[in-house]
Amino acid sequence: MDDNPAPGRFSASSATLGIEEEFLLCDPQSGRPSPRNFEVAAAGRALGIELQLELTRCQVETATEIGHHISDLRDQLCESRAVTADAAAREGCQLIAVGTPFFDPVVEEITPKSRYQRMAGQFGALTEGVMCGCHIHVGVEDRERTVQIINHLRPWLPVLLALTANSPLSGGRDTGYASWRYVLFGRWPSSGPPPFFESAGHYEDAVAAMLETGVILDPHMVYWDVRMSDHLPTVEIRISDVPATVEETMTLATLVQSLVVTATAAIAKGEPAPVVDQEMLRAACWRAARDGLDGRSLEVESVRLTTAHQAVRRLVDHVEPALSAFGEFEQVTTSLDRVFSNGNGAIVQRRELARRSRVADVIAECARRTFEGCTADGGGKLSATP
């Protein structure tokens, strides 16, 4: 990323973008989590895709290549979901884009890798939770600037969570939360919104303290909702549930990239990040997890309740210059209008459950929406509908 942009200018082309999506593997008949990630990864490798193994055996993760614009990644997102689903089907599994399983997983189905086994030994039952998120990486070379960007992004974290909430059901019932994944993830001692950091040294001291006290076993266990990547020159936004559709993932990634570009321009102009109270920010994230997109949102700077739709529109207004620089303003606003009208993952799951009263029908609809918006060209190759 350009370390010296002119004040007020948006260096849209230099803010690299990468997307990671975590998916659930479940049994097509029962809908229960299917602990076959090793087998699915092997099948995926034969089909030309490298899948990452997650903490529990009923999860796999995909990752795009690095791009400069969401248009570089649209087809990759659709293609990776399709190929991974094919690999899963070959191993008797169904791939679904949801934040948590519909039924509780089998206990002690931790992926047998040494790091995960050490985590299980240290953190016990915490490692049994199955949570599928979406992680957006935006390139930032300078660590001091990364910390400043994190500070600028903190107030927008609850809005991103509400927009992508996709895990209302667990244990075969409605949990009362649009993002049950976020609530479960909050049990980890290194999770939640990060504090306001004065510098990269302040950030690194906090990580060092967690390592020294055993709160984390390695830097990759820094589970803050936005963090400096421990192995890439990026800022990583990880608060979101895995979105239900490819279109929603593209919209999320574009908004996140635009937030980073907007923050970079503000930093270049000497604009300080808002110093948001940590407990108020935690409360706002809880509200977003509870209400999702069809409820209320707590604005952390004004400390007032508004609707989630209004909060999303305020976010769009905030990043409009960056969206326009990317040429994505119309696409994002059109996509958001569709989500407002039709619902995001949590809304659709609840609507389907109310309409049909069977979790099996909800699962079928979620499986269908995992590939919604993808079309095949004449050669059978999948691409995302813009």
Side-chain angles (χ1 to χ4, degrees):
M1 189 168 186
D2 183 1
D3 287 337
N4 295 288
R9 288 188 59 190
F10 292 94
S11 303
S13 63
S14 62
T16 58
L17 181 66
I19 303 169
E20 299 167 345
E21 293 190 292
E22 297 168 340
F23 296 99
L24 174 69
L25 300 172
C26 70
D27 181 275
Q29 281 71 49
S30 68
R32 295 188 177 278
S34 182
R36 295 183 62 79
N37 62 355
F38 271 108
E39 296 84 350
V40 172
R45 199 172 301 114
L47 294 171
I49 188 170
E50 285 295 327
L51 300 175
Q52 299 300 313
L53 302 179
E54 289 299 302
L55 177 61
T56 61
R57 288 213 59 209
C58 58
Q59 291 175 274
V60 291
E61 181 183 68
T62 63
T64 68
E65 296 177 359
I66 296 172
H68 288 281
H69 190 280
I70 191 62
S71 62
D72 301 331
L73 307 180
R74 281 189 173 112
D75 290 353
Q76 283 189 51
L77 286 167
C78 204
E79 199 68 27
S80 64
R81 286 192 179 204
V83 175
T84 305
D86 188 1
R90 293 181 184 212
E91 295 300 326
C93 305
Q94 190 169 38
L95 187 80
I96 304 182
V98 290
T100 54
F102 302 95
F103 300 101
D104 295 332
V106 177
V107 176
E108 297 182 353
E109 285 292 355
I110 303 299
T111 298
K113 295 175 67 173
S114 60
R115 177 173 179 268
Y116 293 152
Q117 295 300 320
R118 287 192 298 113
M119 289 172 62
Q122 176 79 355
F123 298 98
L126 286 185
T127 57
E128 296 169 6
V130 178
M131 295 157 282
C132 298
C134 179
H135 307 153
I136 311 296
H137 288 262
V138 182
V140 186
E141 294 289 344
D142 182 77
R143 291 179 69 81
E144 291 292 347
R145 178 166 292 168
T146 303
V147 169
Q148 293 181 61
I149 288 171
I150 288 172
N151 290 339
H152 277 269
L153 264 56
R154 289 172 74 244
W156 301 106
L157 292 172
V159 186
L160 297 174
L161 176 59
L163 179 62
T164 59
N166 186 28
S167 51
L169 306 184
S170 182
R173 63 182 180 86
D174 193 324
T175 64
Y177 287 83
S179 176
W180 185 237
R181 179 201 68 88
Y182 190 77
V183 176
L184 292 179
F185 209 65
R187 300 177 301 179
W188 287 90
S190 58
S191 65
F196 188 98
F197 291 109
E198 299 295 338
S199 65
H202 185 193
Y203 182 103
E204 289 157 1
D205 286 347
V207 174
M210 288 192 289
L211 281 166
E212 184 177 352
T213 57
V215 171
I216 58 176
L217 299 182
D218 55 50
H220 200 60
M221 285 189 68
V222 175
Y223 292 147
W224 288 322
D225 299 332
V226 54
R227 69 181 185 183
M228 284 197 282
S229 172
D230 66 307
H231 63 290
L232 297 170
T234 65
V235 59
E236 180 184 359
I237 295 82
R238 45 187 295 113
I239 192 170
S240 303
D241 285 6
V242 61
T245 66
V246 168
E247 181 181 2
E248 289 170 71
T249 295
M250 293 190 297
T251 299
L252 169 67
T254 306
L255 287 172
V256 166
Q257 190 180 27
S258 297
L259 274 169
V260 173
V261 169
T262 300
T264 301
I267 292 164
K269 291 188 290 185
E271 297 176 4
V275 183
V276 174
D277 179 78
Q278 182 73 0
E279 293 309 310
M280 188 60 62
L281 183 54
R282 284 187 176 276
C285 289
W286 174 84
R287 172 64 68 178
R290 181 184 180 275
D291 286 16
L293 192 57
D294 60 349
R296 293 182 293 175
S297 174
L298 174 57
E299 291 188 356
V300 291
E301 294 181 69
S302 62
V303 192
R304 68 184 182 92
L305 286 173
T306 183
T307 69
H309 284 200
Q310 289 171 329
V312 173
R313 291 191 177 99
R314 181 169 162 262
L315 168 58
V316 172
D317 289 343
H318 177 68
V319 300
E320 180 177 355
L323 286 174
S324 297
F326 281 117
E328 288 293 314
F329 179 76
E330 183 176 352
Q331 175 63 29
V332 165
T333 53
T334 299
S335 176
L336 289 173
D337 284 343
R338 276 196 288 268
V339 172
F340 289 159
S341 176
N342 301 328
N344 64 359
I347 294 170
V348 170
Q349 286 188 47
R350 284 171 162 163
R351 186 168 63 219
E352 194 70 16
L353 185 63
R355 187 165 71 92
R356 301 198 183 186
S357 301
R358 294 198 320 147
V359 175
D361 294 320
V362 179
I363 295 173
E365 177 63 10
C366 290
R368 184 193 69 79
R369 280 168 56 81
T370 299
F371 313 104
E372 185 177 85
C374 296
T375 57
D377 62 20
K381 183 178 180 179
L382 286 169
S383 62
T385 303

